[in-house]
Amino acid sequence: MNPSPSPRMLRSVALEHQGLARKRKLGSGMAGAEKVLCQIAHVQIDTISVVARAHHHILYNRVASYDESLLNRLVGAHRAFEYWCHAACYLPMRDYRFALPMMRGVAHGEWGWWHRDRDPRLRAWVLDRIRAEGPLFARDFEDTRRRRSGWWDRKPAKRALEQLFMEGVLLSIERRGFQKRYELAERFLPSTVDVSEPSAREHADHLIDVTLRAHGFATARNINYLRRDPELRATVRQQLEERVGAGGLLTYQTAAGEPIYARPGTFDAAPRRFAPMVRILSPFDNVIIQRQRAARFFDFDYTLECYVPAAKRRYGYFVLPLLYRDRFLGRMDCKSHRSEGRFEIKALFLEGDVSDAFLSAFRDAAIDYAAFTGCEEVEVGQVSPRSWLQPVRALFG
């Protein structure tokens, strides 16, 4: 086993693979969005709209002049699809077959928390309407009468739609607001999409490949993140050892004693020099979503506190990490008041060495991100340490 690369090298490789190492973004338009999706493997979907929703925020940081219509357009062009990964995500259409094991498992009741409405009448009615009328939203199944007392009410229909979606019978072909529009998979999927279910070995190799493409290096735990199938998890570990034995992967010993895996040559170049640039990240960004990985390789302890009772929060409801060069130097609790055009930084927490270069980069990033969320004015509330309150407010004065 090889000695561990330096923390600086690990951060450099991780951010390069995540498309966050350079000022220039990975691309623009649909081609750029598709390139990012293929590079980082998935984009998590989130309902919280305090600022930009996660799926748009993640792409905003990697696609030049990002337009929120791009995800719907990618799906409509059969270049992306929506399904469950570690959570609800957009994924590249080329990876569709690797969602099939979970779809089959849901259909057979192996995922108990998704095995919901199995009423054959309700399922048949939902499918018959979509087959006859074309793609529909859940709201299209509403009963307009005042009293609702049957299985045709929207709530049971919505559950049936989601069950059929998780089984792969239906696909979400667009979102309006946060509402899915459902279509028959057999009618929407092009004939060029591979619909053969992968073996456990193929699936394991896929997980290894996409993780290394997205992050550059990984532990077995990173690759198996939130994977529930014990056979698949074991096969990932087996395939890692086989690849190491064949010379396709190298292992490195970390200070914590857990081996990390990378392809030969991954750490050959010197760590890159990062420009003085701030990235305001989503709590669900691919760099930060695995909290243990972020803590180990970036020395950044992060918890999303919207799920924590208000009295127990340290930082705020929806706190965004601040990446400066290759280090996390702070976090901010903020809210976009779109109707007023006002972006409110409720609380800014600065950590580590704060410099004039950081403040300048933070100002540019905050103004740009505020504009992305539909706001022209940036307002600063609290700053910690308090000695930075006036200097930070002066940035936006």
Side-chain angles (χ1 to χ4, degrees):
M1 188 175 292
N2 300 287
S4 177
S6 69
R8 183 183 170 205
M9 172 64 82
L10 292 170
R11 295 194 303 269
S12 178
V13 167
L15 293 175
E16 184 72 45
H17 282 74
Q18 276 291 306
L20 297 176
R22 307 167 188 265
K23 279 193 171 182
R24 185 175 182 179
K25 297 189 178 181
L26 290 181
S28 61
M30 281 183 64
E34 183 178 24
K35 180 180 179 180
V36 169
L37 195 57
C38 290
Q39 175 65 31
I40 66 175
H42 58 262
V43 171
Q44 183 167 333
I45 300 168
D46 184 58
T47 61
I48 300 173
S49 59
V50 173
V51 285
R53 286 194 167 109
H55 39 294
H56 297 308
H57 189 166
I58 293 166
L59 291 178
Y60 153 82
N61 270 316
R62 296 166 172 87
V63 179
S65 303
Y66 176 71
D67 178 344
E68 291 190 359
S69 71
L70 287 177
L71 280 170
N72 272 342
R73 290 163 58 193
L74 276 180
V75 172
H78 307 102
R79 289 152 69 174
F81 73 105
E82 183 181 328
Y83 197 64
W84 196 266
C85 184
H86 65 279
C89 291
Y90 286 100
L91 302 115
M93 185 61 82
R94 69 182 189 185
D95 294 342
Y96 182 81
R97 68 187 294 246
F98 297 102
L100 294 173
M102 184 172 179
M103 293 176 180
R104 173 185 50 76
V106 172
H108 288 84
E110 296 167 10
W111 290 66
W113 52 292
W114 273 110
H115 198 60
R116 296 175 177 171
D117 285 295
R118 305 293 296 180
D119 185 330
R121 294 186 309 153
L122 179 58
R123 291 165 64 89
W125 176 67
V126 165
L127 291 174
D128 286 347
R129 281 201 57 188
I130 293 175
R131 189 173 289 112
E133 301 174 39
L136 296 174
F137 294 93
R139 63 174 177 259
D140 295 320
F141 293 87
E142 287 184 350
D143 181 5
T144 57
R145 296 174 303 173
R146 286 187 178 182
R147 297 183 64 184
R148 301 177 181 180
S149 57
W151 52 260
W152 54 84
D153 286 353
R154 180 186 176 188
K155 189 174 181 180
K158 171 64 175 175
R159 290 199 301 264
L161 288 165
E162 278 299 290
Q163 179 71 26
L164 290 163
F165 167 78
M166 290 301 300
E167 292 179 15
V169 179
L170 297 177
L171 289 176
S172 171
I173 64 167
E174 69 167 317
R175 281 181 181 260
R176 293 184 190 171
F178 211 71
Q179 300 297 312
K180 294 178 186 173
R181 190 178 183 208
Y182 299 89
E183 170 63 302
L184 299 173
E186 63 187 33
R187 194 158 61 188
F188 182 74
L189 286 175
S191 60
T192 53
V193 174
D194 188 349
V195 292
S196 60
E197 185 171 336
S199 66
R201 182 167 180 158
E202 286 178 310
H203 201 170
D205 281 334
H206 168 73
L207 293 180
I208 293 168
D209 290 338
V210 298
T211 304
L212 293 180
R213 182 169 61 247
H215 298 284
F217 63 89
T219 66
R221 182 168 21 175
N222 297 150
I223 298 166
N224 278 327
Y225 179 63
L226 296 185
R227 297 290 167 177
R228 295 168 177 262
D229 183 347
E231 179 188 4
L232 179 59
R233 293 171 63 88
T235 306
V236 164
R237 293 181 180 276
Q238 176 185 328
Q239 289 303 102
L240 285 170
E241 295 310 311
E242 285 191 14
R243 289 194 184 194
V244 170
L249 292 178
L250 299 177
T251 55
Y252 299 83
Q253 183 69 52
T254 65
E258 186 176 13
I260 62 173
Y261 299 85
R263 293 190 177 93
T266 297
F267 302 116
D268 285 356
R272 69 176 297 107
R273 298 184 65 179
F274 286 79
M277 176 177 57
V278 167
R279 301 275 197 191
I280 300 171
L281 299 187
S282 165
F284 302 102
D285 194 278
N286 299 42
V287 170
I288 199 75
I289 189 61
Q290 292 196 37
R291 310 306 190 208
Q292 175 269 342
R293 180 185 173 100
R296 174 170 296 180
F297 299 118
F298 286 90
D299 193 26
F300 187 63
D301 183 13
Y302 178 78
T303 299
L304 179 57
E305 295 182 327
C306 61
Y307 305 117
V308 175
K312 295 184 178 181
R313 291 176 192 147
R314 291 181 60 196
Y315 299 106
Y317 178 77
F318 200 71
V319 172
L320 309 183
L322 303 178
L323 179 68
Y324 177 63
R325 297 185 186 267
D326 63 337
R327 303 299 302 268
F328 286 96
L329 283 194
R331 60 195 89 199
M332 66 178 183
D333 184 27
C334 49
K335 180 177 177 60
S336 295
H337 301 272
R338 296 174 182 84
S339 62
E340 305 169 26
R342 179 170 58 91
F343 185 84
E344 179 188 9
I345 300 176
K346 295 182 176 181
L348 173 65
F349 302 88
L350 300 176
E351 304 163 23
D353 297 327
V354 178
S355 63
D356 289 341
F358 167 80
L359 291 177
S360 177
F362 171 70
R363 176 187 179 276
D364 293 345
I367 290 173
D368 192 72
Y369 182 67
F372 176 65
T373 69
C375 300
E376 297 179 356
E377 177 189 351
V378 177
E379 175 185 278
V380 179
Q382 302 176 21
V383 177
S384 178
R386 188 171 175 78
S387 58
W388 286 104
L389 177 61
Q390 292 308 318
V392 171
R393 285 184 173 174
L395 297 173
F396 308 101

